[in-house]
Structures are given as structure tokens and as C-alpha cells.
Amino acid sequence: MNSRLLLAILLYAAASATAALVQDKGTLDPQPLAPLTNPNDPHLGAKELFGRKALPAPSAVRSIGFYAKGCLAGAQALPINGKTWQVMRLSRNRNWGHPDMIALLERLSDKVHEVAGWPGLLVGDLSQPRGGPMLTGHASHQVGLDADIWLTPMPDRELSRSEREEMSAVMMVRPDRLDVDPKAWTPSHLLVIRAAAQDPAVERIFVNAAIKKALCREAKGDRSWLSKVRPMYGHDYHFHVRIKCPSGSSECQSQPPPSEKEGCSAGDLAYWFSEPVLHPKLPTTPVKPRREMTLAELPAACRQILIAP
Ligand SMILES: [Zn+2]
């Protein structure tokens, strides 16, 4: 990744980290978005186009492009109720993914039930029906291979529609942001994140740096899974699971495998606990709006996915 792109992603993430201090709620009465006056405007953000697609492109499954720059065909929906999971924020219509991701979530929720004693998982955003950039939140989640999982155990009952929109996950990080909150963090949280990291399909896991610090301190026995768990802005109510490009998906752009290092040294974490990251200064002058990723910047096949019936 070139350094300008990296910087852009970091700046975006820093901005959304501030916004993520309050968890977004959904609505019981989602309103359709107004039609676009000029959907062919070459400057239009691709999120405006992909954000208006309510159903997947009906074709063979394809994850096209990179996690933060791509789209998805033949997406499968994660059923909103499983034996060991429930989908949250149904109004967002983001429970779509590559079938490998759906299989991972089914497998992982079952494992978590077994190893951590949680009744199951509460699942947040996967991808939009055709993937692509989103109107709100997330730089990635574009190719059906990313999912957010709440750090709150699934209750032992079926949640109502309004609970799924309005219930809040539990903040895991202490107000000073330097460590996890002992009133919220439990040994079972480590077991859940470890179960995800130990799944061979999983490429990376993103958590808040305070959570990474706690995992480093508390992991016993085999610690090799820690190398997959990376600090990230936000991710203090939920963790983010990213799976590898599925085999045979030649259009999927993979990322380099994580290093073998645990990432637990003081040096590894120093950046995340530095003053500008812990307490980002709000800009004193109006910020120029970020230029939106256009359809032309996505892989060419994404145009076909978008216009498919
Ligand atoms: Zn995430």
C-alpha cells in the first residue's frame, strides 16, 4: 500500500473513531433513499450507487477487488436468527457476505457457545447486498469478507425488532482509553476473540488497542493467534473479523499475511497510546470534504455488478 493511501485511510479512521464514541442506532421505519438525479455523474461517490441496491446481483459468487475498494456478486444473507447468533440493526441491510463468511459466522458462533459459554454472537455489519462503499461507516466491508461482531454476548432469548435497532453494545474500554474496563471485560471475551483468530479462514482481527493490550497480558499457552489480532481505531464495542480471499476467487485482491510477531511489545503499541491518537485535536478550520471513491475507481467488473438486474 502506498503511504498516501495509508495516510488517507488513517485520517478517515481517526475521524470515524470520534464518531464511533456513540454507537449508531438503527430505525424500525427505514425510508427508501431519494432516487439520484444524475446516476451517471462521473464525480458521484460509488457509495450513492451501491447504497441504493437492496438485493444482491444474481450471479455466481465473486468477491471483486480489495477489502476497501471492491464489490460483491452472488452474496448470501446471514439469516437473522440462528441457533447461536442473531443479526443486529436489520434496517441497515448489511447482513450480506461471501458464502465463506456466512459459513465462518455459523461455525464461530457455535464454537463460542462451546468454549466461552456465551449463548451465541450478536452480529453487526457484514456487507451491502452488492458490497461496495457504504453511505455510513466502514472503509472496508466492500467485498463480503469482513464482519463486525459485538463484544456483548447474545442474550438467551430472541431479541425484538426494536431491541435489534436500539440496544447498545457494551463499551469495553476504560474512559482514559489506556486499558479495558474491568467492569465490562471478562475472561470470556478473550476466549471469543481467540476462537475467531484460531479459525484458519480468518486473515486478521481488528480490536481497540486497549483490548489488544489486555489480550497480550492475559493470553496463556499458545499465543500464536495474537499475531492476527491488530489494534485499530474504534472497535471498542465490537471486533472486526476479516477472512482470506476464498480459494478460486481470482478477482479478489488479498493482503500480505500478518507477520508472525505477537505485536505485544511496548513499541508495538506505543503509537496507539500516543497523545494525538488518544485525544485527537479537532480541526480549527473547516475540513475539506473527503473526495468520494467513484465507480470508475473500483474494479471494472463492479460496474456490471451494479447494473445487473
Ligand atoms: Zn469493523
Side-chain angles (χ1 to χ4, degrees), residues 125 138 140-141 146-148 206 235 238-241:
D125 286 356
H138 311 298
S140 65
H141 292 251
D146 293 284
D148 285 340
F206 299 120
H235 295 87
H238 70 268
F239 68 107
H240 178 135
V241 176

Side-chain angles (χ1 to χ4, degrees), residues 65-273:
F66 190 62
Y67 300 94
K69 197 178 203 175
C71 60
L72 172 67
Q76 192 179 326
L78 178 68
I80 64 169
N81 291 311
K83 220 172 85 196
T84 45
W85 76 85
Q86 295 183 46
V87 176
M88 302 300 283
R89 305 293 189 261
L90 303 177
S91 60
R92 295 158 73 96
N93 193 26
R94 291 176 178 173
N95 56 322
W96 299 89
H98 189 286
D100 283 17
M101 174 51 93
I102 306 304
L104 168 78
L105 291 169
E106 296 183 355
R107 182 165 78 233
L108 179 62
S109 66
D110 194 51
K111 180 97 189 283
V112 157
H113 178 69
E114 182 193 318
V115 302
W118 287 18
L121 295 175
L122 296 177
V123 181
D125 286 356
L126 280 65
S127 295
Q128 301 179 126
R130 300 187 190 198
M134 298 185 187
L135 286 161
T136 54
H138 311 298
S140 65
H141 292 251
Q142 294 193 24
V143 290
L145 304 176
D146 293 284
D148 285 340
I149 297 174
W150 286 30
L151 285 162
T152 305
M154 184 185 90
D156 209 357
R157 64 183 173 86
E158 190 179 318
L159 293 171
S160 69
R161 289 301 270 238
S162 63
E163 284 173 312
R164 292 187 201 224
E165 301 297 348
E166 302 194 342
M167 187 182 139
S168 192
V170 177
M171 165 57 77
M172 303 306 303
V173 175
R174 227 162 58 182
D176 68 8
R177 312 295 290 167
L178 295 174
D179 212 322
V180 291
D181 184 343
K183 291 196 291 294
W185 178 258
T186 69
S188 72
H189 287 94
L190 179 144
L191 298 175
V192 168
I193 296 170
R194 185 178 72 181
Q198 286 178 333
D199 191 290
V202 170
E203 165 85 28
R204 275 173 174 65
I205 288 176
F206 299 120
V207 294
N208 188 271
I211 294 175
K212 171 82 192 200
K213 184 172 163 182
L215 296 172
C216 288
R217 181 172 59 225
E218 295 170 15
K220 303 278 183 293
D222 174 22
R223 291 168 58 91
S224 58
W225 57 275
L226 283 167
S227 65
K228 282 191 194 173
V229 185
R230 299 299 190 86
M232 187 47 70
Y233 299 96
H235 295 87
D236 38 19
Y237 293 92
H238 70 268
F239 68 107
H240 178 135
V241 176
R242 169 170 296 174
I243 61 172
K244 295 171 187 163
C245 279
S247 59
S249 51
S250 57
E251 298 161 294
C252 179
Q253 189 191 336
S254 54
Q255 61 185 139
S259 85
E260 304 277 290
K261 283 180 57 196
E262 289 180 359
C264 288
S265 73
D268 291 329
L269 294 169
Y271 165 79
W272 296 98
F273 295 110

Side-chain angles (χ1 to χ4, degrees), residues 36 38-53 64-65 68-72 128 130-134 142 291-308:
L36 294 166
N38 184 6
N40 297 316
D41 176 357
H43 302 293
L44 186 68
K47 65 181 184 181
E48 298 288 348
L49 300 163
F50 282 94
R52 282 174 169 75
K53 292 293 172 187
I64 301 164
K69 197 178 203 175
C71 60
L72 172 67
Q128 301 179 126
R130 300 187 190 198
M134 298 185 187
Q142 294 193 24
R291 205 184 58 77
E292 299 300 344
M293 193 183 292
T294 64
L295 185 55
E297 289 171 84
L298 295 175
C302 291
R303 191 180 292 274
Q304 298 310 316
I305 301 309
L306 190 70
I307 63 176

